[in-house]
Amino acid sequence: MAKAVKKAQTTAPVSIDETDIEILKLLQQNAKITVKEISDNVHLSTSPVHERIKRMENAGIIKQYATLVDHTKVKKGLMVICYVSLKQHDKNAGTKFIKYINELNEVIECYNISGEFDFMLKVVSEDMNAYYDFHVNRLSQHENIGHVQSVFVMGVIKQTHVLVN
């Protein structure tokens, strides 16, 4: 389970310096790294490092800490990209769809996209039979689904969460 970081409501952009960037690089490589280990790497004492991390958490730069799991080792061997178009495009219909998608555990990512489709979902399931059940009996049962196109992931070439490098 990802640990969400409480963030303050800030509207002003927060500036980060090279030391902040180095701290972010280290945290992206290993979220369990200690403040002491970070301070040794960035050549600061632990107090300023701790304060910098808290400032970036409060500003929403650091959104959460998470454990990345290999989906194939937890009975989620099939990964599917689903493109979804809705029948209706008003605010209420969109809000209902988003609420519904957030309740589906098989959907691990959802993006509102432009083009022929309205949403792109990243879905994991145990196998083709489980995905078929999800597609037919859960996803397609939503009242506002217009069209779904499934693309099956044959292999993962690159997968990263590193934004600062």
Side-chain angles (χ1 to χ4, degrees), residues 24-158:
L24 289 172
K25 286 179 187 178
L26 292 166
L27 286 169
Q28 287 178 131
Q29 292 170 8
N30 177 10
K32 290 180 71 172
I33 191 171
T34 66
V35 172
K36 171 73 171 110
E37 291 170 320
I38 295 171
S39 66
D40 290 344
N41 277 280
V42 299
H43 310 294
L44 288 175
S45 64
T46 56
S47 291
V49 168
H50 179 75
E51 290 303 316
R52 284 172 178 264
I53 292 170
K54 286 296 172 202
R55 179 177 49 79
M56 289 189 285
E57 288 174 351
N58 290 335
I61 295 168
I62 298 174
K63 291 172 44 174
Q64 69 182 34
Y65 298 94
T67 300
L68 303 178
V69 177
D70 182 338
H71 69 97
T72 64
K73 296 182 179 176
V74 291
K75 297 185 179 179
K76 300 291 183 186
L78 184 65
M79 186 181 301
V80 183
I81 305 299
C82 292
Y83 295 98
V84 177
S85 59
L86 303 180
K87 293 177 189 173
Q88 298 174 302
H89 292 89
D90 59 80
K91 186 176 181 179
N92 187 43
T95 300
K96 281 183 181 178
F97 175 77
I98 291 168
K99 184 178 185 299
Y100 183 69
I101 288 302
N102 280 312
E103 295 170 0
L104 300 175
N105 292 330
E106 296 88 347
V107 178
I108 59 172
E109 294 179 36
C110 176
Y111 302 95
N112 185 213
I113 60 174
S114 64
E116 181 180 345
F117 293 94
D118 301 310
F119 294 91
M120 184 183 87
L121 314 177
K122 185 175 180 183
V123 178
V124 290
S125 64
E126 187 171 351
D127 55 25
M128 187 62 78
N129 289 333
Y131 177 73
Y132 177 83
D133 181 63
F134 163 77
H135 183 285
V136 171
N137 296 316
R138 300 191 61 213
L139 180 63
S140 295
Q141 292 304 307
H142 188 273
E143 64 198 33
N144 196 25
I145 296 287
H147 179 67
V148 176
Q149 180 178 329
S150 300
V151 178
F152 298 93
V153 176
M154 303 296 289
V156 177
I157 308 304
K158 181 177 181 179

